[in-house]
Amino acid sequence: MKGTHAEGDAGRTPVARANDFYLYKDELAGITAPGTPPADSAKLVEAYINTWIRKQLLIQEASTKIDINEAQVERKILDYKYSIIAYEYQTYYVKQHLDTIVAPGEIATYYKDNIDNFILKQNIVQGVFIKVPKNAPRTGKIKELIYSEKDKDKRELKSYCLSFSSAYHISDSTWVVFDDLVKNSPLAEIPNKIQFLKSNPYYETSDETFLYFLKVGQYRISDNVSPLEFVKDDIQNIILNKRKVELAKQLEDEVFKEGQDHNEFEIFN
């Protein structure tokens, strides 16, 4: 925040003013990255100037309406500045040292030790879902292809879906949320989905335009423990985030210990 357009700033070019406070052209350096198209640069600069004006007016209004402890504000500014610098360095340090490989055994152990944290909030299934227009060819063969274990039939089903289906999921070993699987179909409107899953390992239905085919291999209903395969990626992310926190703490400890060993700081009584 700059003061009035004083004599000491005579060589600078102002680009905006909020009462007695000025924003200068040289303060806009770095707002746009090199190579940014001129039109985009102009928009970014304009947005920055408008934001600056709004903030200046708000600050000036606040200074006339409330008592501001300038020392406290300065401490907060310094704390924020140091937090940003520390965060940038911690991010760099973590990136250099993070082991991103999470072994399946580590995932399984975390799952077992924290199993109560993996209760399903939705019904999930392993199955096949295919939506095709009523005028698609050979629709009478779809059920046969869905149930076939022959590799050539699996390839034929995939080719058929790529050519004619409006939506499909044929990876029947992957756990998916049932509501996501059957969205935009009459199956999404089933009132009691738990009873439906218990009673219908295979189901066909239609509307005015489409035919729908559903085969459910396995299912797990909400409020039960999630299978490990369904939460495997979540657990991997949890473990990686824990490693990042540990590395950030390790960096702080290392820097403090080094400063202590080299007598780089002291506390005066």
Side-chain angles (χ1 to χ4, degrees), residues 125-169:
V125 298
Q126 287 181 332
V128 174
F129 175 76
I130 300 173
K131 172 183 176 180
V132 295
K134 282 186 171 180
N135 59 1
R138 297 180 287 121
T139 56
K141 193 179 180 183
I142 292 177
K143 180 178 180 181
E144 176 188 339
L145 293 176
I146 287 176
Y147 271 95
S148 176
E149 294 297 325
K150 297 178 181 178
D151 288 340
K152 71 177 185 66
D153 288 341
K154 292 180 179 180
R155 291 194 296 269
E156 183 179 347
L157 179 62
K158 183 175 182 179
S159 177
Y160 183 91
C161 289
L162 288 170
S163 299
F164 303 110
S165 71
S166 300
Y168 71 93
H169 174 86

Side-chain angles (χ1 to χ4, degrees), residues 9-25:
D9 292 316
R12 305 172 73 190
T13 304
V15 294
R17 179 185 64 82
N19 290 314
D20 292 332
F21 294 88
Y22 287 78
L23 177 68
Y24 293 94
K25 186 175 181 179

Side-chain angles (χ1 to χ4, degrees), residues 27-56:
E27 295 178 291
L28 302 179
I31 291 177
T32 58
T36 303
D40 293 340
S41 294
K43 289 180 181 178
L44 289 170
V45 170
E46 181 182 5
Y48 180 87
I49 292 172
N50 287 332
T51 300
W52 179 88
I53 290 172
R54 287 175 175 272
K55 288 181 178 179
Q56 289 298 323

Side-chain angles (χ1 to χ4, degrees), residues 53-72:
I53 290 172
R54 287 175 175 272
K55 288 181 178 179
Q56 289 298 323
L57 294 175
L58 183 60
I59 290 169
Q60 294 169 36
E61 173 77 7
S63 66
T64 65
K65 297 295 176 65
I66 61 174
D67 292 328
I68 298 175
N69 186 324
E70 293 290 347
Q72 188 178 55

